[in-house]
Amino acid sequence: MISYQEILDKKSILDKIDKSIYDFRDRPLETEFQKLFYAYQSNLSKHHDYGIEPALFFFHEAERNAFSDKLDDHFIISISNGIIEFLLSKFNDNTELLNVEGLEKFKEVEKKADSPLNKLMYQLCGYYVFYHELGHLIQKSERLRIGLNKEFSIGECHLREYDADIFSALCLGTHLYEYIVTKCTDADNEECQLIIGAVTASIFVYLLSWPSARKPFYLEAESHPHPLVRIIGILFVLADYIEKLSSNKRRINLNRDAIIKSSFSVIDKIVDSILDKSEMNNFLKTFIDNKEEVIRYYHHLINLVKNTEYSAFNKRNKTAKAFSESN
């Protein structure tokens, strides 16, 4: 596999990026960033079936930002050091995260997992960001070069962003299902649902942490759908897909509604320890005041994604079907 130094040596490509490349070597978090680089670069290379090669992953210096791009026929994903450091501090290093009154059953079921749930939350959030950007590469949109600007309608931008979210949710669902059946073999169905619910709560909290979550609810505005619509879509699709996998493979029996209920139980208890106390109250008020519009726009965007030929969602399904038929 390509080394980080080999990527840094690709000056003709990197010089075209208006961001400073983050060299994690000889820094306090070098081991963690090296591990993540290996995981993300390896994962990116495995998706060559989508025609996104050669592909490069690297980190860049920014508070919180991620992007995908195509430069000199190279497909690129980059995540800022700020995102990783945020997730490390809020989840991975927060060993007391679930030591909250009302979450006793989650701490108990944690014994059936092979890793602390706060560490799994950290990993899942990182992969959410990675797979979202991978979804954009698979779309192969011209937007990879010109960005989210006035040349694209708001509707087109929302479609592509929601498609990337849904693609990411399906990938995360696959990871979580495989984790449950291979690493949580002593857990029963209910315990598995608690583990999945707790881990997926991290994505909710992560999206809620962005400044855009504080904006008044909107529909056809901004470059991305309102975080309310994104959160609902990710949680619903992820839980739906895990339920489908468990039904098809018949190894365990998982229920979408139970997973979502578990997730919101954790969200309610941990969000105040990660974000400002007002964040959850503002979110709930915005959702209650706009519930019908949130659900309507969620269905609208899901249908657009499913009926758009170039969507990463459809390309993934096509690739998965071809793989299944060949085996």
Side-chain angles (χ1 to χ4, degrees):
M1 189 186 83
I2 190 171
S3 69
Y4 206 65
Q5 182 59 57
E6 288 175 299
I7 289 179
L8 295 179
D9 288 341
K10 292 184 178 293
K11 301 292 187 181
S12 63
I13 297 175
L14 300 185
D15 287 347
K16 296 177 181 178
I17 297 171
D18 61 351
K19 293 177 175 61
S20 298
I21 309 307
Y22 183 72
D23 188 351
F24 54 77
R25 296 169 303 174
D26 296 323
R27 296 190 185 224
L29 294 173
E30 176 183 1
T31 300
E32 183 62 25
F33 274 91
Q34 179 62 53
K35 181 173 68 175
L36 292 175
F37 164 69
Y38 180 82
Y40 295 151
Q41 179 63 51
S42 297
N43 195 312
L44 183 54
S45 298
K46 289 177 183 176
H47 287 83
H48 60 84
D49 286 350
Y50 291 100
I52 51 172
E53 58 177 348
L56 304 175
F57 175 88
F58 53 84
F59 299 101
H60 64 275
E61 293 186 13
E63 184 174 348
R64 282 201 281 161
N65 174 267
F67 70 88
S68 48
D69 207 338
K70 184 182 179 184
L71 291 168
D72 293 349
D73 293 323
H74 284 70
F75 292 87
I76 292 168
I77 290 178
S78 182
I79 297 175
S80 71
N81 64 306
I83 284 182
I84 303 303
E85 290 162 7
F86 175 85
L87 296 178
L88 279 168
S89 65
K90 299 301 183 181
F91 297 108
N92 190 75
D93 300 340
N94 193 353
T95 57
E96 299 298 310
L97 183 60
L98 297 179
N99 289 337
V100 179
E101 184 178 352
L103 295 183
E104 292 81 5
K105 62 183 178 181
F106 291 94
K107 286 300 295 181
E108 186 64 27
V109 79
E110 186 176 49
K111 300 173 184 176
K112 301 290 182 75
D114 76 332
S115 297
L117 295 183
N118 62 296
K119 292 185 179 296
L120 295 176
M121 292 166 131
Y122 158 69
Q123 293 171 12
L124 194 78
C125 272
Y127 269 109
Y128 158 70
V129 177
F130 172 82
Y131 281 124
H132 177 94
E133 297 304 330
L134 178 60
H136 285 317
L137 291 186
I138 291 172
Q139 290 166 354
K140 291 188 177 178
S141 166
E142 283 300 309
R143 199 204 65 186
L144 288 175
R145 279 283 66 241
I146 62 178
L148 287 165
N149 61 26
K150 294 180 181 179
E151 293 189 36
F152 284 91
S153 67
I154 290 171
E156 177 76 2
C157 290
H158 283 202
L159 164 62
R160 293 184 184 279
E161 291 303 324
Y162 218 63
D163 177 39
D165 274 345
I166 299 312
F167 175 84
S168 183
L170 293 175
C171 294
L172 297 179
T174 301
H175 278 308
L176 278 172
Y177 177 80
E178 292 301 326
Y179 173 79
I180 287 293
V181 298
T182 59
K183 303 294 186 180
C184 305
T185 53
D186 293 333
D188 61 27
N189 291 334
E190 182 179 356
E191 290 170 330
C192 289
Q193 288 163 175
L194 290 175
I195 292 171
I196 295 170
V199 176
T200 55
S202 61
I203 299 177
F204 182 110
V205 177
Y206 174 70
L207 288 175
L208 196 60
S209 73
W210 285 86
S212 56
R214 304 183 196 104
K215 292 182 178 180
F217 183 69
Y218 59 82
L219 290 171
E220 296 182 7
E222 307 289 343
S223 62
H224 293 62
H226 191 279
L228 260 173
V229 181
R230 298 181 68 187
I231 287 168
I232 293 299
I234 293 166
L235 291 182
F236 281 12
V237 169
L238 194 155
D240 271 339
Y241 190 59
I242 290 176
E243 181 182 74
K244 179 181 177 181
L245 288 174
S246 69
S247 175
N248 290 347
K249 299 189 178 185
R250 300 181 180 178
R251 296 172 68 178
I252 52 177
N253 184 23
L254 301 175
N255 178 266
R256 159 202 152 146
D257 293 338
I259 292 171
I260 293 174
K261 182 179 179 182
S262 295
S263 188
F264 276 97
S265 295
V266 173
I267 292 163
D268 183 53
K269 297 295 183 181
I270 71 170
V271 71
D272 287 350
S273 68
I274 296 178
L275 308 175
D276 185 272
K277 272 197 168 186
S278 64
E279 303 288 358
M280 190 62 176
N281 291 335
N282 291 339
F283 175 86
L284 289 175
K285 184 180 186 307
T286 303
F287 179 70
I288 291 169
D289 291 346
N290 301 278
K291 182 178 179 180
E292 290 185 4
E293 285 297 289
V294 171
I295 299 302
R296 183 193 67 78
Y297 201 48
Y298 154 70
H299 285 298
H300 168 70
L301 289 174
I302 284 287
N303 287 332
L304 278 180
V305 168
K306 291 180 178 179
N307 289 293
T308 299
E309 184 179 0
Y310 65 75
S311 70
F313 170 85
N314 280 324
K315 290 183 178 182
R316 182 184 185 277
N317 286 345
K318 183 178 179 180
T319 300
K321 182 180 179 181
F323 178 80
S324 177
E325 290 175 349
S326 65
N327 287 279

